[in-house]
Amino acid sequence: MSIFRIGRHVRLCRPALVSSRRHYAASATLLASSPSGVDNVEQEPKKKKRKASKPKEPPPEIPEPETVLDNSPVHSYLAQIAASKATVTLDDIERHRPARHANPDRDHNKYTEEYATLQELLSKSFSQKQLLQFLRLYDLKPPKIKSKATFASLVMEKAWNYPPLDEVVRKNRDRTESTSETFELEPPQSFLLLGKDGIDLHNLARKHQLQVAFSAKPLSLTATGLRANINALGKYITEFKENICSETFDIPTEMSLRPEQLQRVSRTAGAFTENCGEGQIRISYKADAPKASLLAKRHATRASCESSPSGVDLLASATPSSTYTSIGPANSLCSLYPFFSARTLPWTTEVGGAFRLRRIGELSGYGLTEHIQREGPLSSINTHLTSLSNKYSDIRSIFQSMNVYDEGKTVTASMGHVLLTTPPKARGKLTPPLEGTLPIDDVFSWLCQNPCDRVFIPSLPAVLSDQDTEHQRLLHRLVYRVFNEQASSNPLQPLKTMRFEMVLQPGASNGGVDVDEPLVHRCLIGEESTIDLMLPERPMDIQILVSNTSALQQEQWPAELTSYVSELEKYIRDETGEQSQPETTPLNFTHNGDLYILDSSASVRQLLSETDPNSVTESLLDLENNRKTSECKVTCDDPSSDAKWNNFIETCDQLSSAIPR
């Protein structure tokens, strides 16, 4: 089959044709040079060279005929749009911006619907490239997720100030869903968060409308309520923790405090206290209440003095049975009765219950004179006293052993009640530490074997409640005592004391302090001994203070006391109101090698008796903890004088036999 025949059926490409021609030419050459000498074979004709053709000139352009639409405004507008379709301006998208939108907090569903509608409108009106150009015109950073919806949302939220939809959904969920969350706390944080008597946490729960509860293991606070309110509480607790400061304090007495004392100090000062070493405590308080730290230091120092034995002896009246007429057995049986004071107990006393020793019988059925005649006065030789050592003696023998009748001694009697207390764990129980009815001897025998805490609560007899207030004066009183750790070995051992008094208002007729007159003040230093005298057969007990003091000249005052008094005088005499009041009194100072610690700082209003100049009624305000007390004092400035001593005993008889107010 020749190449031409194949070409009829198969369409060859140009390279194939060229190859075929070359093969045919080679075959013809072989035939011409063959020995057979065939002459009738035709030779291949020579190819003619073609001349290059000249390029043709393009035909002349024929202008299209004008139509009616060429001059139409619509055609021009469409042409303008087609030419500017790649260029956009803020006006193009701002015309889609609504004038207002629904409030997501008030109408969540309407806002969600408007948000979705506007997002869909922007996505359909512009391409992704155009929306990206809008972001650049608004100077917004494109998001990582590149889509029409994300670009439109970014324009709405960042440029048009639409609240983010996911945040609106979350807030709506927080406002409608209820849940509970637990916050872990440390002891200082939980104490400060509670506040005094839990009032701070109560107000916090009411503010956020939550139910809260504490758990001990682990220490945590669980809150239940709406999610939004719980989130607000969590934010507050986080900031509250960061606002807590702590510091350590070395107690001057170097005495460690018991757990119940630490609790009282914390509650009174408003700061959390804990032992962190021998004679050292750690104080945690809120940064915006630095005064709580100062109060904690002062209260801890005073409480450390209370942790030592009281140094007060205990006596009780034991009147013989011959004086009884119609009441009670021959041995004068007594019992401990629950006692409820009209005023709060001292802050240094944390007790579960308070009980007073009383003789079994009816006290209210006898008048003032009948009590004294039936039982005998304190000065009677028939009135015996029993002490913790079970030694019997009359009141004169007791005072002789204390050298009361020496020159320079002063005896002061305060009316009130001697109470035996139970530990704080027994709070709310009316069971006394010693049950049953026993003679006084047996009661004191039990007290010797079972030491029991006690406290003296001053009380005002009812006969003094209607005194004339014309003869009164206002004082500022400071009492400092030397801490004595060995006071338990001898309860009658005198304690070194320093008393300072300043007369702020001499009388009721004087409306203020005369700036031209010097302020009257005095400072006494010496020793004091205290005796608690229990009178089970009378409505009131007596605390007797025996002091041997002398005046301390101002040149000999401690520097801390001198500086405080100077600032106080400037404040009192200041008429411009520019002088600030001294914030605190000196907590402690050293004088003649002894460490004096503040025992009390009070404002005192004294009412002087018209009939007895040695009898005064005092209303005290403790400046450390704002505790108020009222008491009646009878003073004998010369016990060696029989007349003054008998008058002193007679007044004590009358006041102790009167019903307390």
Side-chain angles (χ1 to χ4, degrees):
M1 182 182 295
S2 66
I3 189 173
F4 301 102
R5 187 174 179 84
I6 294 174
R8 295 176 184 177
H9 299 277
V10 181
R11 188 176 179 180
L12 300 178
C13 59
R14 186 176 178 180
L17 293 176
V18 174
S19 177
S20 300
R21 289 176 181 175
R22 291 179 179 175
H23 179 72
Y24 177 78
S27 300
T29 304
L30 291 176
L31 291 175
S33 59
S34 62
S36 59
V38 181
D39 295 332
N40 58 352
V41 178
E42 296 182 0
Q43 298 182 353
E44 183 181 0
K46 297 181 178 179
K47 295 181 180 180
K48 295 182 179 181
K49 296 182 180 180
R50 295 181 181 180
K51 295 182 179 179
S53 59
K54 296 181 180 180
K56 296 181 179 181
E57 296 181 358
E61 295 182 359
I62 301 175
E64 296 181 1
E66 294 184 358
T67 62
V68 179
L69 295 176
D70 291 341
N71 298 327
S72 173
V74 177
H75 183 75
S76 301
Y77 178 73
L78 294 176
Q80 182 180 1
I81 292 178
S84 62
K85 64 180 180 178
T87 303
V88 292
T89 62
L90 291 179
D91 294 337
D92 298 331
I93 194 172
E94 283 291 336
R95 63 172 56 98
H96 296 287
R97 181 175 182 175
R100 64 180 63 86
H101 60 77
N103 190 335
D105 296 333
R106 297 178 181 176
D107 196 343
H108 166 263
N109 295 331
K110 184 177 181 180
Y111 176 80
T112 304
E113 182 180 354
E114 290 181 358
Y115 187 98
T117 302
L118 181 58
Q119 184 186 45
E120 183 180 3
L121 176 62
L122 296 180
S123 299
K124 290 182 177 180
S125 300
F126 304 98
S127 64
Q128 181 175 341
K129 184 177 180 181
Q130 290 174 334
L131 291 175
L132 183 60
Q133 291 180 358
F134 289 137
L135 294 180
R136 294 170 180 170
L137 293 175
Y138 281 120
D139 196 16
L140 299 176
K141 184 178 180 180
K144 294 181 179 180
I145 301 177
K146 301 184 182 302
S147 65
K148 284 187 176 183
T150 56
F151 290 167
S153 297
L154 192 61
V155 171
M156 295 167 56
E157 296 172 3
K158 300 298 182 180
W160 295 353
N161 297 324
Y162 269 65
L165 185 61
D166 53 351
E167 183 177 348
V168 172
V169 173
R170 180 183 60 80
K171 288 183 177 181
N172 181 70
R173 181 192 61 189
D174 294 345
R175 289 192 300 266
T176 55
E177 292 184 4
S178 296
T179 184
S180 62
E181 187 172 350
T182 301
F183 304 94
E184 294 185 0
L185 300 172
E186 297 178 357
Q189 298 169 352
S190 61
F191 176 84
L192 297 175
L193 189 63
L194 273 170
K196 188 174 183 180
D197 299 328
I199 189 64
D200 291 349
L201 183 61
H202 176 71
N203 294 336
L204 187 63
R206 289 187 58 185
K207 176 182 177 181
H208 295 286
Q209 299 179 356
L210 296 173
Q211 295 181 352
V212 295
F214 267 104
S215 301
K217 295 181 180 180
L219 184 58
S220 58
L221 177 68
T222 301
T224 304
L226 296 178
R227 188 184 298 274
N229 298 340
I230 290 181
N231 293 338
L233 178 64
K235 182 179 179 181
Y236 174 84
I237 292 178
T238 301
E239 297 176 353
F240 185 85
K241 291 180 179 180
E242 298 175 353
N243 195 40
I244 296 178
C245 302
S246 62
E247 59 177 304
T248 57
F249 173 67
D250 295 326
I251 302 176
T253 59
E254 300 181 356
M255 294 286 294
S256 297
L257 301 182
R258 300 189 302 271
E260 59 270 16
Q261 290 177 320
L262 290 172
Q263 184 179 7
R264 296 201 305 267
V265 171
S266 300
R267 283 174 51 85
T268 307
F272 183 80
T273 57
E274 55 186 338
N275 285 321
C276 60
E278 188 67 25
Q280 189 179 67
I281 61 173
R282 178 180 292 107
I283 304 174
S284 301
Y285 59 96
K286 292 183 286 188
D288 53 356
K291 188 177 181 180
S293 174
L294 179 62
L295 291 177
K297 296 176 183 178
R298 301 175 69 86
H299 294 340
T301 303
R302 295 180 65 181
S304 66
C305 299
E306 297 293 332
S307 62
S308 63
S310 62
V312 179
D313 196 15
L314 179 63
L315 304 177
S317 171
T319 306
S321 60
S322 60
T323 59
Y324 294 112
T325 56
S326 60
I327 296 181
N331 202 17
S332 179
L333 297 179
C334 299
S335 182
L336 291 174
Y337 288 83
F339 182 87
F340 299 95
S341 176
R343 296 188 181 271
T344 58
L345 297 178
W347 72 269
T348 54
T349 304
E350 182 72 13
V351 300
F355 303 86
R356 180 174 181 258
L357 185 66
R358 289 176 51 185
R359 184 181 61 81
I360 300 175
E362 184 64 37
L363 297 178
S364 60
Y366 295 91
L368 174 61
T369 306
E370 293 175 345
H371 270 299
I372 300 175
Q373 291 178 352
R374 181 172 60 89
E375 301 160 4
L378 293 174
S379 59
S380 174
I381 59 174
N382 294 325
T383 302
H384 288 70
L385 301 177
T386 181
S387 67
L388 288 177
S389 58
N390 288 333
K391 294 180 180 180
Y392 294 89
S393 59
D394 57 20
I395 192 169
R396 182 175 292 273
S397 300
I398 290 292
F399 286 123
Q400 284 179 349
S401 64
M402 301 173 62
N403 300 322
V404 171
Y405 305 108
D406 294 347
E407 185 178 357
K409 294 293 183 67
T410 302
V411 181
T412 303
S414 299
M415 305 299 121
H417 299 93
V418 178
L419 306 178
L420 302 181
T421 62
T422 55
K425 295 181 180 179
R427 184 183 299 275
K429 295 183 179 180
L430 298 180
T431 304
L434 177 62
E435 300 182 28
T437 57
L438 300 170
I440 291 182
D441 297 349
D442 296 345
V443 173
F444 270 66
S445 298
W446 179 85
L447 288 174
C448 291
Q449 299 175 2
N450 304 276
C452 185
D453 293 337
R454 67 180 186 272
V455 61
F456 178 79
I457 304 298
S459 300
L460 193 65
V463 295
L464 301 178
S465 59
D466 298 329
Q467 279 187 304
D468 187 9
T469 60
E470 181 178 356
H471 304 284
Q472 68 175 355
R473 60 177 184 172
L474 184 63
L475 307 175
H476 177 45
R477 178 184 296 162
L478 302 177
V479 179
Y480 291 88
R481 301 188 189 277
V482 174
F483 173 72
N484 188 0
E485 193 174 354
Q486 306 298 329
S488 61
S489 59
N490 183 11
L492 295 180
Q493 179 182 357
L495 298 178
K496 294 183 179 180
T497 306
M498 183 180 297
R499 291 177 176 268
F500 170 81
E501 288 185 352
M502 174 184 289
V503 180
L504 303 179
Q505 186 175 340
S509 59
N510 188 0
V513 177
D514 190 351
V515 295
D516 297 330
E517 295 183 1
L519 293 174
V520 179
H521 49 64
R522 65 173 182 170
C523 184
L524 301 177
I525 187 171
E527 296 179 340
E528 295 179 349
S529 300
T530 305
I531 297 176
D532 286 340
L533 179 57
M534 303 175 69
L535 302 175
E537 297 151 350
R538 301 191 182 190
M540 304 187 74
D541 301 319
I542 300 177
Q543 185 177 72
I544 299 175
L545 178 67
V546 180
S547 58
N548 182 16
T549 59
S550 59
L552 186 65
Q553 300 300 322
Q554 189 168 358
E555 296 79 10
Q556 300 175 342
W557 290 2
E560 295 84 352
L561 184 60
T562 302
S563 176
Y564 171 75
V565 173
S566 176
E567 293 181 4
L568 183 60
E569 288 184 349
K570 292 180 181 178
Y571 171 75
I572 294 175
R573 297 182 181 278
D574 181 38
E575 295 181 342
T576 61
E578 298 178 355
Q579 185 69 28
S580 59
Q581 181 180 0
E583 294 185 1
T584 57
T585 57
L587 178 60
N588 55 73
F589 52 77
T590 302
H591 181 71
N592 293 337
D594 295 323
L595 177 62
Y596 286 83
I597 298 176
L598 180 67
D599 183 71
S600 67
S601 172
S603 292
V604 184
R605 184 176 296 276
Q606 281 187 346
L607 297 177
L608 305 178
S609 175
E610 298 180 359
T611 59
D612 188 358
N614 295 322
S615 177
V616 296
T617 302
E618 294 184 346
S619 298
L620 296 89
L621 173 63
D622 193 331
L623 300 179
E624 297 290 324
N625 49 45
N626 295 327
R627 179 175 176 266
K628 295 181 179 180
T629 57
S630 297
E631 59 181 323
C632 174
K633 291 183 177 181
V634 182
T635 304
C636 180
D637 55 3
D638 187 8
S640 60
S641 172
D642 292 339
K644 291 185 177 181
W645 178 255
N646 293 333
N647 182 59
F648 169 76
I649 293 297
E650 182 180 354
T651 306
C652 290
D653 278 330
Q654 294 176 354
L655 294 178
S656 62
S657 299
I659 302 298
R661 186 176 66 176

